[in-house]
Amino acid sequence: MMKRVLIAGCLLFGVIGIYAQDTKDAIVGNYIRYFNQGDIDTKISIIENSFRLKDVNMGPLYHEAVEFIIGNIGLLNSAPAVGSMIIDSLKKIEEIPYREARYSVLKLVQVDDTGVTRTYALDTLAVIAKGDRNVIVQLNEFLDHQNKLFLSQKKPDLHIVDTCIRTLGELGDKSSFSRIFTSYTLKYSVHITETARLALFKIEGSFKDNLLAVIETGPIPDRRKAFEFGIDLEELSDSEKRDIIIRSFKMALTTDSVVTEEQKILREIRYRAVREITAYKMSEATDLVIRHFERTRQDHLVGRDTRPHLIQAIDCLGSMGNRKAAKTLADYLAYMNAITEKKQVYDEQLVIAAINNLAKLKDPIGIDPVQYAVFLDYSERVKKTAQEAADKLIGM
């Protein structure tokens, strides 16, 4: 008997619950009908009145208000009270949160040209559009457009740019990282740069991997900026920085461009990477360092690289601490010895750099070319350096 009473009670409460929900749905439906029928003042009054219904989800009504203003966008400029109504509706959509309105709110961002309403719409999307790739893709395109406007000297609304960056940061999708990073590098303002920096750290996944995606696939100017940003960033560990340095170095060595300015940028990435590899003594990068040395050597011969860059490449080989690097330098010094023996012009600084780094490497493979340099028609400075290096290598 008790069991029957309990079942009957549950059924009664279920019926009451269904009835209560039907009643709430009817209330929302009535408000939407009144809203669609009323004039502007009536619409505003209906939205204001809806705020007192705390236990009814009025999301569909606020969604209807957003749809109304999209179809009558000019009212935002001509009727300030309508703008307040839409802002209040957006706040409620965010508060509920009513995700079903996200595409309409996105449309409002795209068609509105009033900064205040657009700002509230973007803030609302930060809450109701999480996980919706379609919305995120379109917001990425919106920010991309703002970035292009800025580059074309057609100044966008900086407050909108700032809010869009913050919204994309809250949504946290990986696809937004490169756009936000571009905004960071454009230096709109000190405030926006900091907003972009904070947003970058909110993007899902490893920050290092997100940065590497820019370095390896982004526009070449952004690749350099991402590389420099990563290796100067205190938040990254030495291990992460080492990975960024090597991957950037490899990218710069394997990427081709017919654009002169891009070629220059790729060389600058290599030069900075070489300095970092030398400082870290990253022997795991030996093969890349050898490739860079050979490239720089050839570029120096045709005037694309300066002597200091070639000396940096030689010094980097000297920091590798292995036979591969020693053999490369020994072969290079043997080449310099050969042209000197033929009475051709040699570069004293390059010869001395090769000798000193062979001494630093302490590999027996360097003994022969270093010792032979002592007997050739080099300057006294070169001969003295070669003798001291030979003594160190032979006395190992």
Side-chain angles (χ1 to χ4, degrees):
M1 182 64 180
M2 181 61 70
K3 186 174 182 181
R4 290 177 182 173
V5 171
L6 288 172
I7 292 172
C10 289
L11 289 172
L12 177 60
F13 280 118
V15 170
I16 292 172
I18 292 170
Y19 177 77
Q21 184 58 51
D22 286 346
T23 301
K24 291 177 181 179
D25 290 345
I27 292 172
V28 176
N30 286 336
Y31 268 75
I32 291 174
R33 181 163 52 84
Y34 302 151
F35 181 88
N36 287 330
Q37 291 174 353
D39 60 16
I40 295 298
D41 290 338
T42 301
K43 293 181 191 297
I44 294 171
S45 178
I46 288 168
I47 294 296
E48 290 175 348
N49 184 271
S50 71
F51 299 157
R52 67 185 180 82
L53 301 173
K54 303 298 183 184
D55 61 341
V56 180
N57 180 358
M58 299 299 284
L61 172 65
Y62 306 132
H63 188 179
E64 191 70 23
V66 172
E67 282 290 315
F68 166 74
I69 204 62
I70 289 172
N72 300 273
I73 199 69
L75 289 174
L76 288 176
N77 289 314
S78 61
V82 173
S84 297
M85 176 189 76
I86 294 305
I87 289 172
D88 288 339
S89 297
L90 289 168
K91 287 179 179 178
K92 286 296 182 181
I93 289 171
E94 178 181 341
E95 181 184 314
I96 293 172
Y98 191 68
R99 280 179 54 82
E100 290 83 349
R102 61 192 183 277
Y103 293 116
S104 296
V105 176
L106 174 65
K107 183 68 174 177
L108 182 58
V109 170
Q110 294 168 332
V111 301
D112 179 27
D113 60 359
T114 60
V116 176
T117 309
R118 195 180 243 177
T119 296
Y120 278 99
L122 285 166
D123 284 338
T124 301
L125 286 173
V127 175
I128 68 172
K130 288 185 184 296
D132 190 314
R133 291 299 298 275
N134 186 37
V135 173
I136 292 166
V137 166
Q138 293 188 62
L139 285 178
N140 286 340
E141 292 173 355
F142 180 80
L143 180 57
D144 194 40
H145 178 65
Q146 305 306 305
N147 290 337
K148 289 175 180 175
L149 281 179
F150 186 76
L151 286 170
S152 70
Q153 307 302 311
K154 297 178 182 178
K155 303 297 184 184
D157 185 327
L158 297 187
H159 190 62
I160 296 301
V161 173
D162 184 72
T163 308
C164 186
I165 292 169
R166 190 172 64 249
T167 294
L168 286 171
E170 291 300 323
L171 295 174
D173 193 85
K174 283 185 177 182
S175 65
S176 303
F177 190 93
S178 62
R179 269 67 170 219
I180 296 172
F181 185 78
T182 297
S183 298
Y184 172 85
T185 63
L186 288 178
K187 308 295 183 187
Y188 282 97
S189 68
V190 172
H191 179 75
I192 291 178
T193 298
E194 181 59 18
T195 297
R197 184 181 183 280
L198 294 174
L200 289 171
F201 282 96
K202 291 185 177 182
I203 300 300
E204 65 184 354
S206 159
F207 185 88
K208 182 203 74 173
D209 290 342
N210 289 335
L211 199 61
L212 281 170
V214 177
I215 290 169
E216 295 178 336
T217 64
I220 288 179
D222 280 2
R223 296 187 193 193
R224 176 180 58 185
K225 292 170 184 174
F227 165 60
E228 292 171 345
F229 179 72
I231 59 179
D232 292 334
L233 197 63
E234 293 180 359
E235 287 87 346
L236 293 180
S237 67
D238 277 358
S239 174
E240 289 173 317
K241 289 181 180 181
R242 290 169 73 101
D243 196 16
I244 287 173
I245 291 164
I246 289 180
R247 297 270 289 275
S248 300
F249 192 38
K250 182 176 181 180
M251 178 280 297
L253 280 166
T254 57
T255 301
D256 294 320
S257 174
V258 296
V259 180
T260 302
E261 184 58 30
E262 290 185 349
Q263 293 172 353
K264 180 182 176 183
I265 289 171
L266 292 168
R267 287 198 298 273
E268 288 172 352
I269 293 173
R270 284 165 43 207
Y271 301 151
R272 176 73 189 270
V274 158
R275 294 196 296 272
E276 297 296 333
I277 289 169
T278 303
Y280 279 106
K281 294 182 170 62
M282 296 164 62
S283 60
E284 65 269 32
T286 299
D287 289 342
L288 294 174
V289 171
I290 292 172
R291 186 171 177 176
H292 167 75
F293 165 75
E294 297 296 348
R295 174 86 63 82
T296 307
R297 180 180 169 187
Q298 292 304 312
D299 285 345
H300 177 64
L301 288 174
V302 296
R304 275 196 299 266
D305 271 297
T306 64
R307 180 194 295 122
H309 292 134
L310 184 51
I311 290 176
Q312 284 178 357
I314 292 170
D315 288 343
C316 191
L317 283 168
S319 71
M320 293 295 94
N322 57 51
R323 170 149 287 200
K324 272 188 176 181
K327 184 178 187 310
T328 300
L329 282 180
D331 289 345
Y332 178 62
L333 181 57
Y335 164 77
M336 298 296 277
N337 287 344
I339 66 171
T340 302
E341 198 168 24
K342 295 176 182 177
K343 306 301 181 182
Q344 296 178 16
V345 178
Y346 65 89
D347 188 308
E348 182 182 79
Q349 292 185 43
L350 295 178
V351 174
I352 288 175
I355 292 171
N356 284 335
N357 279 284
L358 280 168
K360 186 191 300 184
L361 284 165
K362 298 178 181 178
D363 191 294
I365 200 170
I367 293 175
D368 186 60
V370 168
Q371 195 169 36
Y372 193 49
V374 175
F375 307 114
L376 296 176
D377 191 21
Y378 282 119
S379 67
E380 289 304 315
R381 184 183 172 204
V382 170
K383 289 183 178 183
K384 182 175 183 294
T385 301
Q387 187 61 68
E388 290 173 353
D391 292 342
K392 289 178 182 177
L393 288 168
I394 294 171
M396 289 186 300

